[in-house]
Amino acid sequence: TTYGAHGIDAVGSGDISVQNDGSIDTEDASQAIGIYAYSDGGDVTVANGGAISAYSYSGLADGIFASGIDVDVSNSAAGTIDASGYGWAAGIEAQGTGTTTVNNGGDIYALSMDATHAYGIYATGDVVQVGNTGNIEAQGYYATGIEAQGGSSVSITNAGDIVALDI
């Protein structure tokens, strides 16, 4: 079970698929996540085309959080994401144990208000592929537009503007 404010909360042991085209606004002290999709034994697919706002004044904020074996997150140009947290902020956080793919076309703003990390896109897995055409701004003590960590390979294709500000 998860805690905090989640606009969409999809948790299970098998495959999980989330499609969203509506607006999501979340706010909580400890954890604010627009879309939370987690599987401890299956693949996770998230497709977003709506505006997401996640605000946590003393904890973490993620616009989209997806975790599973193979993880695929797509965010269209209409999918603007604003994630502002105190201890952590990520527009899109995708973590797989196999292949993790993130395709983003929307504008992302991530702000961490404490001496911690802010990521526009944060992706981990064995094979990690990130494609971005949206504009990304990350502000924090450790600010990164796109962070991709792979066990065997990493591929990043970027055509958007990225601003990373150490505040």
Side-chain angles (χ1 to χ4, degrees):
T1 255
T2 58
Y3 62 93
H6 298 175
I8 294 174
D9 191 74
V11 177
S13 58
D15 293 346
I16 293 178
S17 178
V18 176
Q19 167 71 48
N20 176 62
D21 289 315
S23 295
I24 297 174
D25 292 308
T26 60
E27 182 176 334
D28 187 68
S30 60
Q31 184 181 94
I33 299 176
I35 297 173
Y36 183 92
Y38 175 85
S39 175
D40 60 6
D43 298 336
V44 174
T45 302
V46 175
N48 182 59
I52 296 175
S53 174
Y55 176 71
S56 176
Y57 46 90
S58 65
L60 74 83
D62 279 349
I64 297 171
F65 174 86
S67 178
I69 295 174
D70 290 335
V71 174
D72 185 356
V73 176
S74 61
N75 186 51
S76 75
T80 58
I81 298 174
D82 183 344
S84 298
Y86 186 77
W88 169 279
I92 297 172
E93 181 176 354
Q95 298 184 10
T97 57
T99 299
T100 300
T101 304
V102 176
N103 288 299
N104 177 59
D107 291 343
I108 295 175
Y109 175 75
L111 168 67
S112 176
M113 296 172 272
D114 193 19
T116 59
H117 297 275
Y119 298 100
I121 298 171
Y122 179 85
T124 64
D126 183 45
V127 175
V128 178
Q129 302 165 335
V130 177
N132 179 60
T133 57
N135 297 320
I136 296 174
E137 182 174 339
Q139 293 186 25
Y141 190 74
Y142 301 101
T144 306
I146 298 172
E147 173 81 18
Q149 301 174 10
S152 64
S153 68
V154 172
S155 172
I156 299 172
T157 304
N158 180 59
D161 294 335
I162 296 175
V163 175
L165 300 173
D166 178 4
I167 57 171

